[in-house]
Amino acid sequence: MTPYRPYRRAVLKLSGEALASSASDETIDGAVVEWLATELAAVVADHKTELAIVVGGGNIWRGLTGAGAGMDRATADYMGMLATVINALALQDALERHGQPTRVQSAIQMAQVAEPYIRRRAMRHLEKGRVVIFAGGTGNPYFTTDTTAALRAAEIEADVMLKGTHGGVDGVYSADPRQDPTAEKLDDVTFGDVLARELRVMDLTAITLCKENDLPICVFDLMAPGNIRRALAGEPIGTLVH
């Protein structure tokens, strides 16, 4: 049997909602963040994988929500970028309490709490075994954190982008499995299929960036114990988009 090949360098995309919990009224659930940090620190140490993380801010604020309520879209998006920094700092704190050196790099300058995003510095941190958390989105309105993850993965020459899902969905389906019981799970799908069938993987800009840079996407259930380890080890898990 051919052994799986662990990825050398990966970017993990976490939604902001993954840091919250339905059992808590808090926007950031300390127990959930602690569990994620435990999983992440252990797998980085075991596999020696260079890991960068992009975290969303939807548990605190969504730009589209503000825009839908009449707020200026650019202003609403900047507020969402600031929310990602809050999540990044929470995750950094938890990782470092587990002994995993971590750096937060923000696309929006805030020197007191985070480094500015500098590509070569980020790659050097990764080479030294530090986890790098990219916050502040792309630094521009009208772009999602999915697009940020695709952009940063291409920039730092990652082998794969890992899209961690929550809410019990463990990959890409032909339809929303929470609404359509006949939805079929797709273990392997091409970028062309995603675009042609309008499958809900990521936004169109992120998918196009990955396609143009030959960057595969692994969509998997983030919240199942051991799944982060399996994904970084290169095991077949969830759905591979390539």
Side-chain angles (χ1 to χ4, degrees):
M1 180 178 178
T2 303
Y4 304 121
R5 181 177 65 84
Y7 293 112
R8 174 189 59 90
R9 180 178 292 167
V11 169
L12 172 63
K13 169 59 171 61
L14 304 177
S15 68
E17 290 90 343
L19 304 184
S21 169
S22 58
S24 171
D25 293 331
E26 301 295 331
T27 55
I28 299 176
D29 188 318
V32 173
V33 175
E34 181 75 12
W35 178 83
L36 280 172
T38 302
E39 294 270 311
L40 289 166
V43 76
V44 171
D46 289 350
H47 290 296
K48 306 301 182 184
T49 300
E50 296 176 6
L51 180 65
I53 300 172
V54 173
V55 62
N59 56 320
I60 300 172
W61 177 261
R62 282 188 173 276
L64 286 176
T65 301
M71 181 179 288
D72 175 75
R73 172 65 189 273
T75 298
D77 280 354
Y78 280 120
M79 291 171 62
M81 292 178 220
L82 298 180
T84 71
V85 177
I86 295 173
N87 285 336
L89 292 174
L91 189 55
Q92 178 190 38
D93 178 76
L95 282 167
E96 293 200 329
R97 281 189 280 106
H98 284 275
Q100 174 57 55
T102 306
R103 298 292 185 271
V104 173
Q105 288 199 346
S106 173
I108 296 178
Q109 300 263 339
M110 43 183 72
Q112 285 86 350
V113 297
E115 297 179 1
Y117 169 66
I118 300 173
R119 172 180 174 267
R120 292 178 66 88
R121 182 183 290 179
M123 295 173 76
R124 185 62 175 151
H125 284 322
L126 293 170
E127 290 165 358
K128 289 186 174 182
R130 300 164 184 154
V131 168
V132 178
I133 305 175
F134 296 123
T138 65
N140 300 287
Y142 300 98
F143 291 96
T144 67
T145 48
D146 282 349
T147 296
T148 302
L151 177 62
R152 297 290 183 252
E155 286 183 297
I156 67 171
E157 301 172 7
D159 298 330
V160 67
M161 186 166 81
L162 306 176
K163 165 77 170 177
T165 65
H166 64 287
V169 179
D170 59 349
V172 179
Y173 284 76
S174 57
D176 188 340
R178 292 168 294 190
Q179 299 179 5
D180 184 353
T182 66
E184 174 191 2
K185 183 184 175 185
L186 308 172
D187 294 327
D188 191 283
V189 64
T190 68
F191 287 116
D193 287 337
V194 170
L195 296 171
R197 298 171 63 178
E198 298 183 349
L199 299 175
R200 298 181 63 182
V201 180
M202 290 181 163
D203 68 77
L204 183 60
T205 305
I207 291 295
T208 302
L209 263 173
C210 291
K211 180 178 185 295
E212 291 179 347
N213 289 280
D214 295 320
L215 180 68
I217 306 169
C218 176
V219 184
F220 71 103
D221 182 2
L222 174 75
M223 308 310 291
N227 268 7
I228 297 174
R229 180 184 302 275
R230 293 177 60 197
L232 287 174
E235 296 184 24
I237 181 175
T239 300
L240 183 65
V241 184
H242 58 98

